[in-house]
Amino acid sequence: MAGEVTRAEGVYQQLRADILGGRMVPGQRLKFPDLCERYTTSVGAAREALTRLTAEGLVKTKPHLGYTVTPLSHEDLADLTKARLEIESLVLRLSILEGDVQWEARAVAAHHLLERTPFTDPADPDRPADAWVSAHADFHLALIDGCGNRRLVATALGLREEAELYRQWSVSFGQETDRDLPAEHKAILEAALARDADLAAERLRDHIAHTAQLLISCAEDEPNRP
C-alpha cells in the first residue's frame, strides 16, 4: 500500500510539473495508457494523480472525453482574475496583520531567491524556466503565508496555480519592454514589510491585473496555442 501511495505521489509531482512547465498542451487529452508509459506507473497511481490535479483546477474531466489539461479561454481567465483580485489581496492583508518576524524572514528569503533565479532557460527561451516558476510561486506563497486562515490561503494558492497555466502559454509574459517585473515584486514586499496593508494590497492587485491583461490579450489571439 505504501508503495502505491509513493508511486501516486511521484506521478502527481511529475505530471503537475509537466503541465505547469508547458510540456502538456492546454486541452490535451490525458489517456491512461499514455500516462502509464510516460511515467512508468500503474493506472491506479495515474488516476490518483489526475484526481488531485482536477481538484487543483489544472485538469478537467468530461463524460466520454476523460481527463484533459485545463483549456484556456478569455472568459475563464477574466473570471479567474476577478476572483484573484479579491481573494489574494484579502489574504495578503491578513498576512500583514497577523504575520510575525518569522513570516517576514520567509518572505525576504523567498524574494532573495526569486531575484537571483534566471527568468528563462536557454534551452527554451520562450517560456519562464521551471526554476523561476518555482521561485515565483514560493515568493507569492511566502507573502500570504502569514495569514492564519488556512482555508483562505489554500483558496488563494489554488487560484494562482490555475493562472499559472496562462502564464506558461503566454509568449510575452515577463518580456514586455514597458514593464519591470522584478521591481513590482520588490515593491509588494517592501509594502508588506512596512506593514502597510493598504499599499501592499493595492500593489498586488495592480501586479495581478497587469499580468492578467497581457494574458487575456494572448488568450483572445491564441486560446489554445500548441
Side-chain angles (χ1 to χ4, degrees):
M1 181 65 180
E4 184 68 16
V5 171
T6 300
R7 284 193 295 273
E9 177 65 24
V11 175
Y12 162 75
Q13 294 291 349
Q14 290 177 306
L15 179 54
R16 187 174 182 276
D18 283 343
I19 291 173
L20 292 178
R23 291 178 287 277
M24 292 287 193
V25 180
Q28 178 178 339
R29 291 186 65 186
L30 300 171
K31 301 177 182 179
F32 285 109
D34 296 338
L35 295 176
C36 291
E37 180 179 358
R38 182 184 182 103
Y39 302 114
T40 316
T41 192
S42 66
V43 170
R47 189 185 304 279
E48 167 98 11
L50 289 171
T51 299
R52 291 178 63 181
L53 291 167
T54 299
E56 293 178 5
L58 299 180
V59 169
K60 298 293 184 184
T61 180
K62 292 184 178 181
H64 311 300
L65 288 178
Y67 295 93
T68 63
V69 178
T70 298
L72 310 187
S73 74
H74 169 228
E75 293 78 13
D76 177 64
L77 179 55
D79 288 345
L80 177 59
T81 300
K82 289 178 183 177
R84 289 188 61 210
L85 287 172
E86 298 302 322
I87 293 174
E88 200 166 337
S89 61
L90 168 63
V91 180
L92 177 59
R93 284 177 178 275
L94 293 173
S95 188
I96 292 169
L97 293 173
E98 300 171 2
D100 56 16
V101 68
Q102 284 78 21
W103 163 73
E104 292 183 4
R106 291 194 299 271
V108 170
H111 180 259
H112 181 82
L113 179 61
L114 177 61
E115 273 194 316
R116 284 155 179 75
T117 302
F119 182 74
T120 58
D121 183 336
D124 188 10
D126 292 333
R127 293 195 184 94
D130 285 359
W132 186 91
V133 170
S134 178
H136 183 242
D138 288 345
F139 170 65
H140 279 281
L141 168 59
L143 284 175
I144 64 175
D145 198 39
C147 174
N149 189 318
R150 308 321 291 175
R151 289 182 181 274
L152 282 174
V153 172
T155 300
L157 289 178
L159 293 172
R160 283 199 61 82
E161 290 190 344
E162 288 190 60
E164 191 64 43
L165 287 174
Y166 288 90
R167 282 191 289 272
Q168 283 295 336
W169 289 94
S170 165
V171 295
S172 302
F173 173 68
Q175 302 178 21
E176 310 94 300
T177 57
D178 62 343
R179 185 182 190 188
D180 189 340
L181 194 59
E184 291 180 24
H185 291 139
K186 184 176 181 181
I188 297 169
L189 175 66
E190 289 176 344
L193 294 177
R195 301 291 175 152
D196 191 333
D198 288 341
L199 180 59
E202 178 185 351
R203 288 177 174 175
L204 179 62
R205 289 174 67 94
D206 289 345
H207 177 67
I208 293 172
H210 192 150
T211 298
Q213 188 53 55
L214 168 70
L215 302 186
I216 285 172
S217 298
C218 291
E220 288 174 333
D221 295 338
E222 300 177 278
N224 285 297
R225 183 170 63 87

